[in-house]
Amino acid sequence: MKRISLIGLMVLGSASMQAQLVVNNQLTPTQLVQDVLLGTGVVVSNISYNGVLNPATPQAGSASFTESGTNLGLPAGVLLSSGVTQGVSGAASFFASGTNSTGSDPDLALLANQTINDRAVLEFDFVPEGDTVKFRYVFGSEEYPEYVCTNFNDAFGFFLSGPGIAGPYQNGAINIALVPGSTTIPIAIN
């Protein structure tokens, strides 16, 4: 059994998309994983979310999205945010961090090499029917480029653990979210 941890502060940022991104923030973490993130041939269990849940703070935390005519590169998917999700669909002066201090995550702190104050962590165990599993992701941050090389560092980790995997993160996980063309640079604004 493999364990996936999707950890990020902002998976999708506030790029102006002329409202061509439709956000649904009414789904539970289980619905996001089973109905949006995973396709056929995968058995999933132990789904959990750590961060702000939408029922607790409307329009914050996790959501699904569909797009039409954007340069996003993904037609649909899961949106993780430590702040507001609904406004991501195109507000030019959108500020997502409406809810702060959602807590830290030891893996994300290790990846970012600094203290983490806000998290959005989606975790689950899965068993694929085949020998290959593919995930595509897009990272965005409202803190880029204004806060590059400052004390603020939005980051994204895609942690994989399981038999035959030995990494520096919890449960021996490795981070497979790396800057394209790189083998070691994690996804972050810094």
Side-chain angles (χ1 to χ4, degrees):
M1 181 180 308
K2 305 280 187 201
R3 179 151 188 89
I4 289 284
S5 297
L6 299 175
I7 303 176
L9 296 177
M10 188 67 179
V11 174
L12 182 63
S14 59
S16 179
M17 294 183 203
Q18 317 316 316
Q20 296 168 334
L21 194 69
V22 178
V23 175
N24 176 357
N25 61 5
Q26 300 303 310
L27 301 176
T28 67
T30 298
Q31 291 170 315
L32 287 171
V33 172
Q34 292 178 337
D35 302 341
V36 180
L37 187 60
L38 297 180
T40 61
V42 179
V43 176
V44 67
S45 61
N46 299 323
I47 299 168
S48 68
Y49 179 79
N50 293 306
V52 177
L53 284 173
N54 288 323
T57 304
Q59 301 180 339
S62 60
S64 67
F65 70 88
T66 55
E67 68 83 37
S68 175
T70 73
N71 63 356
L72 185 61
L74 297 175
V78 171
L79 170 71
L80 298 177
S81 174
S82 62
V84 178
T85 58
Q86 194 61 40
V88 170
S89 63
S93 61
F94 176 64
F95 185 67
S97 295
T99 53
N100 292 314
S101 300
T102 59
S104 187
D105 179 83
D107 290 334
L108 195 56
L110 181 60
L111 178 143
N113 197 28
Q114 68 184 71
T115 301
I116 298 297
N117 297 314
D118 304 306
R119 67 169 184 237
V121 178
L122 181 61
E123 294 182 284
F124 55 93
D125 294 338
F126 73 95
V127 178
E129 288 180 6
D131 63 355
T132 303
V133 176
K134 294 181 182 180
F135 289 92
R136 293 175 42 205
Y137 63 89
V138 173
F139 170 79
S141 170
E142 69 178 347
E143 308 217 336
Y144 183 85
E146 298 90 351
Y147 293 101
V148 171
C149 297
T150 69
N151 292 337
F152 302 101
N153 186 18
D154 284 358
F156 175 72
F158 197 115
F159 300 97
L160 180 66
S161 64
I165 298 173
Y169 302 99
Q170 288 185 18
N171 300 315
I174 57 172
N175 176 30
I176 59 174
L178 302 172
V179 172
S182 160
T183 58
T184 60
I185 301 172
I187 302 295
I189 66 168
N190 284 346

